[in-house]
Amino acid sequence: MRSFFHVSDIGDLAAALQEAKQVKATPFAWKNLGQDKTIILIFFNSSLRTRLSSQKAALNLGMNPIVLNVGADSWKLETQLGVVMDGDKSEHLREAIPVIGSYCDIIGVRSFAGLSDREFDYAETILSQFIEYSGKPVISLESATVHPCQAFADLITIEEYKTKPRPKVVMTWAPHPRALPQAVPNSFAEWMNAADVDFVITHPEGYELDPKFVGNAKVEYDQMKALEGADFVYAKNWSCPGVTNPGDYGKILSKDMGWVVDERHMAVTDNAYFMHCLPVRRNMIVSDGVIDSPRSIVIPEAANRVVSAQVVMKRMLEGLK
Ligand code: AN0
Ligand code: CP
């Protein structure tokens, strides 16, 4: 595997889920695979789970992880080509990326969408440069449009908790005080479409996700109707994807507190499990009662981030040989 962005990069999904089971059962069985190999994890943005789970996955495989917080630990990096660098950015990605590539075998990058220029974000302009200029396998640790390590962990979690062959999974938009990227809902939709689930997306009008991620998913604007009979409720905020109105890209169109997932919403489900990628704002996205209930699986979901990252790194290491 040369890069990890999309569900298609993992190949046969059933085989990947089987491998995830093995990795979870015997995490140290491939301890020799990563010997003398180095992964550099680059963070342009904050992280708790991705930072720690990626390091843990690398250590489980016997690899050496090095973490770089861009800006805080390093020079501030310019990402736009052709600019006069007379501002606060001391170094360009064009030099920084090949330098980073020369120090490691695999690179992971977290770089959120800027949410101002849709074209720049949706072309994955920054991660594409990492692929082009590093010559190393690149993992998206949430880039402008995708968060595949999260979606893979989400699917692993659904596989573990499902009690029906084809569960109903509902992804619902929920309000948030700040504009957030579409990477998490994009990837979740992409992975659910590839999985054997009955998948429904619900959000207020104007929040339509990019059609390439929505695929054949059912979109239901009535949140309560969407949630009826759900086996899994996946809550997430995202800002306007700019599909119907490009001028609204990255904007907050609604803060309707009626969309906060609470006991009233969960009551119409089939005793659904509650999921969220975290970090989550309590009583904005989800009520205390729901996230503290026995049906909330946000902690095992986060724990599976080690498993998804380890499967991806394992495959990349196997590809290096
Ligand atoms: C980020 C987002 O919504 O993309 C990271 C989630 C994993 N969330 C926040 O910035 C709060
Ligand atoms: N879910 C997730 O990616 O969390 P962090 O932003 O803390 O890494």
Side-chain angles (χ1 to χ4, degrees):
M1 200 196 304
R2 284 301 296 179
S3 63
F4 185 57
F5 283 72
H6 295 287
V7 68
S8 53
D9 295 324
I10 202 96
D12 184 279
L13 206 45
L17 287 167
Q18 199 50 44
E19 197 169 327
K21 247 188 206 171
Q22 282 178 343
V23 161
K24 189 159 180 171
T26 57
F28 307 114
W30 298 271
K31 192 87 197 163
N32 295 327
L33 191 61
Q35 199 189 346
D36 301 331
K37 297 284 189 273
T38 300
I39 183 165
I40 295 188
L41 304 164
I42 312 274
F43 286 87
F44 286 86
N45 311 93
S46 305
S47 165
L48 186 152
R49 277 143 293 276
T50 306
R51 178 186 307 262
L52 298 179
S53 63
S54 303
Q55 291 185 73
K56 174 69 173 133
L59 291 167
N60 287 355
L61 291 164
M63 237 194 313
N64 303 303
I66 301 176
V67 178
L68 182 75
N69 304 304
V70 175
D73 298 346
S74 75
W75 304 106
K76 280 194 181 147
L77 299 179
E78 179 59 64
T79 58
Q80 307 267 357
L81 283 166
V83 292
V84 177
M85 290 173 57
D86 61 355
D88 64 339
K89 312 268 174 65
S90 308
E91 181 162 15
H92 201 285
L93 277 186
R94 198 65 192 80
E95 284 74 49
I97 295 171
V99 170
I100 292 164
S102 75
Y103 300 153
C104 66
D105 304 281
I106 300 174
I107 302 178
V109 186
R110 163 157 290 196
S111 173
F112 287 172
L115 297 179
S116 56
D117 181 343
R118 185 177 205 280
E119 230 172 280
F120 182 90
D121 289 345
Y122 271 73
E124 286 285 358
T125 310
I126 292 177
L127 270 279
S128 303
Q129 293 182 66
F130 272 91
I131 292 173
E132 193 178 346
Y133 304 137
S134 73
K136 301 289 153 125
V138 174
I139 305 173
S140 166
L141 301 176
E142 185 173 337
S143 49
T145 62
V146 289
H147 195 0
C149 297
Q150 180 65 51
F152 187 15
D154 295 334
L155 179 57
I156 293 167
T157 310
I158 289 169
E159 282 295 309
E160 287 173 347
Y161 282 84
K162 74 178 185 188
T163 53
K164 299 172 187 167
R166 195 177 161 80
K168 178 175 177 181
V169 178
V170 180
M171 177 167 77
T172 178
W173 178 93
H176 193 273
R178 295 175 54 193
L180 296 185
Q182 296 110 42
V184 170
N186 283 346
S187 280
F188 188 71
E190 186 187 61
W191 285 69
M192 286 305 112
N193 283 329
D196 197 12
V197 300
D198 173 15
F199 183 50
V200 180
I201 305 173
T202 182
H203 54 72
E205 289 201 27
Y207 279 100
E208 291 75 19
L209 294 166
D210 193 291
K212 83 170 175 227
F213 294 107
V214 176
N216 294 325
K218 184 167 180 230
V219 178
E220 167 59 66
Y221 292 100
D222 182 333
Q223 189 191 25
M224 278 302 191
K225 207 166 149 205
L227 291 169
E228 272 171 25
D231 299 297
F232 294 88
V233 175
Y234 190 91
K236 183 72 186 86
N237 171 268
W238 61 91
S239 62
C240 176
V243 170
T244 37
N245 188 359
D248 281 344
Y249 177 64
K251 290 195 177 141
I252 295 174
L253 305 179
S254 168
K255 286 189 183 174
D256 184 350
M257 294 296 279
W259 285 75
V260 178
V261 177
D262 61 15
E263 291 78 346
R264 182 176 60 95
H265 294 92
M266 296 305 280
V268 302
T269 69
D270 191 4
N271 197 21
Y273 285 109
F274 175 80
M275 299 178 74
H276 188 280
C277 64
L278 307 182
V280 74
R281 290 189 186 231
R282 284 169 172 254
N283 307 310
M284 276 301 306
I285 301 284
V286 57
S287 69
D288 283 335
V290 170
I291 196 166
D292 290 333
S293 82
R295 302 307 282 178
S296 169
I297 53 173
V298 296
I299 306 303
E301 179 185 0
N304 278 333
R305 290 292 307 277
V306 177
V307 182
S308 65
Q310 194 173 336
V311 171
V312 171
M313 290 177 196
K314 173 177 172 288
R315 291 203 176 179
M316 284 189 169
L317 286 168
E318 285 163 352
L320 294 177
K321 301 244 153 168

